[in-house]
Amino acid sequence: MKKWKLKLSSLFIVLALVFTLGNTVQAATLDDLPLHLLETPTELSQLISSFSKLEYSMTMDEAGTVEEHTIEYEFLGVEEVNNVQADRGRIIPRGEMEEAAMNFWMADGEIVKLEMGGQEIPAEMAGMFANEMLDFVFLPFSFFNQADMDELEDENVRNIEIYTETIGDLELEVYEIELTNIDDFDSGFLRMAEYEGMLLLIGYDYYENGNEYNFTVNNIELR
């Protein structure tokens, strides 16, 4: 029995070494971050131009009240609407708001056709309905943009690590930053990934007075 225990212990040590070597973590400094490449979509046109698919989850825990949401976006190609070539896309909020799934057609920065909950919305009301949904869809990016990354100083950074992570079919180089005293927040972790000349926001955890805010990208495909 002792021999088996020794063999199992040796196996676990070998596996631990393999996994450690396969996911090498590097230390970095604030000067190593290509923050000028950062893309955080807060408008539908930015989402369309950059992503074929984007799926993310967000959790807000405020005073013990927890809200969890998952958003799925997919670009569906180009279609003609009223003699205009329009980008077609779909946004599905999973969970309680799933019935408000939105299909949209956009041309020249304007929504030219909109379906919500399986029903077509009249053109004169499309903008109002779409904006209501989009404010919610872009909430984690707008929330992040409240913190001005250009004003980030060394004293706000406890640690920076660089490692690789696979999200969807993409293998990404990830910068994980441990933060302290950033704007109104006590501490947090920020995760960004560099890919093809862009720095993508892929996750964060912020903590403030016992409240917690989490954002995680679960799947991503770039156009």
Side-chain angles (χ1 to χ4, degrees):
M1 181 63 74
K2 287 183 178 179
K3 289 183 179 179
W4 279 107
K5 286 184 178 179
L6 283 172
K7 288 181 179 179
L8 284 172
S9 298
S10 299
L11 179 59
F12 289 144
I13 290 170
V14 170
L15 287 174
L17 286 171
V18 169
F19 288 133
T20 300
L21 291 171
N23 190 24
T24 304
V25 175
Q26 304 174 48
T29 67
L30 196 56
D31 292 335
D32 296 322
L33 303 181
L35 294 176
H36 62 287
L37 300 176
L38 185 60
E39 295 279 348
T40 53
T42 54
E43 296 181 4
L44 194 55
S45 57
Q46 293 174 300
L47 202 61
I48 292 170
S49 63
S50 298
F51 303 99
S52 292
K53 288 184 180 179
L54 185 62
E55 179 186 336
Y56 56 88
S57 56
M58 50 182 167
T59 303
M60 292 166 281
D61 183 350
E62 296 180 325
T65 300
V66 180
E67 286 188 37
E68 297 178 314
H69 302 281
T70 297
I71 303 292
E72 296 179 13
Y73 158 80
E74 184 177 9
F75 177 72
L76 300 176
V78 178
E79 292 184 3
E80 186 173 302
V81 177
N82 299 326
N83 300 317
V84 175
Q85 294 296 307
D87 292 316
R88 183 186 175 192
R90 170 172 58 206
I91 293 175
I92 303 174
R94 297 297 182 188
E96 295 179 358
M97 296 181 63
E98 192 162 343
E99 292 183 357
M102 182 171 110
N103 289 283
F104 63 86
W105 290 256
M106 177 174 254
D108 298 324
E110 300 289 334
I111 293 178
V112 294
K113 182 178 177 181
L114 179 68
E115 294 176 354
M116 292 190 72
Q119 298 185 3
E120 185 169 348
I121 306 300
E124 62 272 15
M125 301 177 66
M128 180 183 69
F129 275 82
N131 288 337
E132 191 85 11
M133 171 63 77
L134 294 175
D135 284 346
F136 174 74
V137 168
F138 292 119
L139 177 61
F141 299 102
S142 301
F143 183 84
F144 168 78
N145 282 347
Q146 292 176 17
D148 191 345
M149 296 301 294
D150 292 332
E151 295 184 1
L152 201 61
E153 302 289 346
D154 288 332
E155 57 262 30
N156 302 125
V157 178
R158 285 180 176 166
N159 188 43
I160 300 177
E161 294 181 342
I162 306 175
Y163 54 88
T164 58
E165 181 177 338
T166 301
I167 301 178
D169 294 328
L170 297 182
E171 185 174 282
L172 301 168
E173 184 171 68
V174 175
Y175 299 87
E176 181 172 283
I177 312 169
E178 184 179 1
L179 299 168
T180 182
N181 296 324
I182 176 71
D183 287 339
D184 296 328
F185 301 100
D186 302 324
S187 62
F189 289 87
L190 174 62
R191 292 173 293 279
M192 299 178 288
E194 189 173 2
Y195 188 80
E196 293 190 350
M198 286 194 298
L199 191 62
L200 309 170
L201 178 67
I202 61 167
Y204 58 69
D205 303 280
Y206 287 147
Y207 308 95
E208 177 260 333
N209 292 333
N211 299 327
E212 181 176 344
Y213 306 89
N214 169 270
F215 165 72
T216 303
V217 171
N218 305 311
N219 190 22
I220 186 171
E221 289 184 18
L222 301 178
R223 288 191 64 184

